[in-house]
Amino acid sequence: FLLKSVSSEDINITDAVFDGVEVRVFEPPAKRDERLKRSVVYIHGGGWALASASMSLLYNNLCRIMAESLNAVVVSVEYRLVPEVCFPEQFHDALRATKHFLQPDVLAEYSVDPSRIAISGDSAGGNLAAAVCQQVIPNEHLTIRPKLQALIYPVLQAFDFNTPSYQQNMNMPVLPRYVMINYWIDYFNGNYDLAHSLVINNHTALDVGQALSFRGRLNWTSLLPSSFKKNYKPVIQTTGKAEIIREIPALLDVRAVPLLAENETLQLQPKTYILTCENDVLRDDGAMYAKRLEHAGVEVTLDHFDDCFHGCMIFTIWPTDFSAGVQTRNSYIKWLDENL
C-alpha cells in the first residue's frame, strides 16, 4: 500500500524529483524568528533491494521523528532497487539526488542552512551514504559540502566475509552471512554459484593480484579492538579464484565498498558517527571504517551497542517496537542534535 504524502499537523511531507530521482521531503513548520533549518539527507537500508522512502511505514516514521526531534528538513532518497537496477545505479541515484539538493538555490527553496547538512543511512543505505560522501566532498563543482556523515550499521566491504563479526554472527537472524552475500551478488548482478567461493574468501586469496593492494586497508587484526577480535582467526586463502574479480570488478570498486578507499579520500571526510551492533555480521565493517577514518585524522564517534541486532533501529512501531530500536534511535538523534 502507498503511504500518501499527507502531512501531519507538525511535519509537512511532500514528494519531489531531484535530478530524475524521487525523494520524500519532511519539513517541520517554520518558527517565527528562525531563518534557516538544519538538514539530513537520509538513504534507507534493505540490501539495495528492499524497502522504500515513500512506501515503508518504518522509514516514514523514522524520518518524521528525525524531522520533529531535530527541527530539520529530512530528504529521504527513493533510489531504484534490485532487480530493476544493479550497481552502480543505486549509487548514482543517491549521488544525483544529494548533489541536486546541495545546490544553493535548492537549499534556499527549502530554507536550509548550507553549513548544517548531514548525509546519513542505515545498512545498505549506510553503504550508499558513505560512498556518496566520499564522492561529493572532493567535488570541485560543489560549493556546499556535508558537515557530517552518520552511518547506522553500514555495510562497507565485500573483501572479507570472515571478520570476527561475520564468524560470530554467521547464523544470526535478520541478517545471516549467506543472506548478506546474496545481497552483494544481486547488487553486482552476479551468479549465486559464486557464493561458496565468497564465503571462504577465495576471491581475495593471496594469489589474486588485484586484491593485494587493498589487503592492508581492512586488516582487522590491527583495526579492531580485542573485545571484537576475541579468539577468531583470519581466513586467508593462499590460492583462490582470480576470475571472480575479473567477472565482478565492482568487488574492489570504492563506490560499492567504501572501506577500501585510499587514505587521501578518508582524510577529506567530515565529522563522522558510526553505530554498530554486537549481534550483527556488519559490526566490524563499521568498526574498521571508524578506525581508518580516525587514523586519517577525522573526528569519529563509534557508538557500539552490545545487546542490539542488525536493523533494530527502524523497529520502533507496534508490533515490532523493540527497546533496542528506541535505544539506538535516541542515541543517533542525540548525536545529530549535538553536532549538526
Side-chain angles (χ1 to χ4, degrees), residues 153-154 228 274-278 282-283 286-287 302-305:
Y153 33 74
F228 282 15
I274 298 176
L275 186 148
T276 55
C277 296
E278 183 64 24
L282 301 177
R283 178 198 67 188
L302 180 63
D303 198 7
H304 180 66
F305 287 83

Side-chain angles (χ1 to χ4, degrees), residues 10-11 26-29 31 34 37-38 40 61-74 116 326 329-338 340:
D10 34 8
I11 299 291
F26 299 75
E27 293 175 272
K31 297 220 166 88
E34 170 191 69
K37 290 194 187 314
R38 313 186 275 191
V40 180
N61 185 56
L62 173 64
C63 290
R64 193 177 46 74
I65 287 171
M66 283 166 65
E68 272 172 16
S69 309
L70 297 167
N71 188 33
V73 175
V74 177
R116 303 179 77 190
V326 176
R329 186 185 70 199
N330 288 351
S331 191
Y332 160 69
I333 288 177
K334 180 173 187 276
W335 185 87
L336 282 173
D337 191 37
E338 289 167 0
L340 187 54

Side-chain angles (χ1 to χ4, degrees), residues 234-255:
V235 175
I236 302 171
Q237 306 296 348
T238 316
T239 55
K241 295 189 169 174
E243 63 270 22
I244 296 176
I245 300 284
R246 281 200 297 274
E247 203 180 309
I248 309 183
L251 283 160
L252 300 176
D253 186 327
V254 294
R255 299 171 305 166

Side-chain angles (χ1 to χ4, degrees), residues 1 15 42 46 55-56 64 70 92 105 109 115 125 127 159 184 197 205 218 229 280 294 296 309:
F1 77 114
D15 292 328
Y42 194 83
M55 289 163 69
S56 162
R64 193 177 46 74
L70 297 167
H92 284 315
D105 53 333
E109 190 187 324
S115 66
N127 166 282
F159 191 96
W184 274 118
S197 286
L218 75 172
K229 288 190 282 200
D280 182 2
E294 211 172 84
F309 57 93

Side-chain angles (χ1 to χ4, degrees), residues 99-119:
K99 281 166 72 172
H100 177 86
F101 184 60
L102 291 175
Q103 303 301 319
D105 53 333
V106 179
L107 294 176
E109 190 187 324
Y110 288 100
S111 302
V112 166
D113 183 337
S115 66
R116 303 179 77 190
I117 299 165
I119 294 187

Side-chain angles (χ1 to χ4, degrees), residues 5 10 26 147 164 242 279 324:
S5 51
D10 34 8
F26 299 75
K147 179 185 183 184
N279 307 312

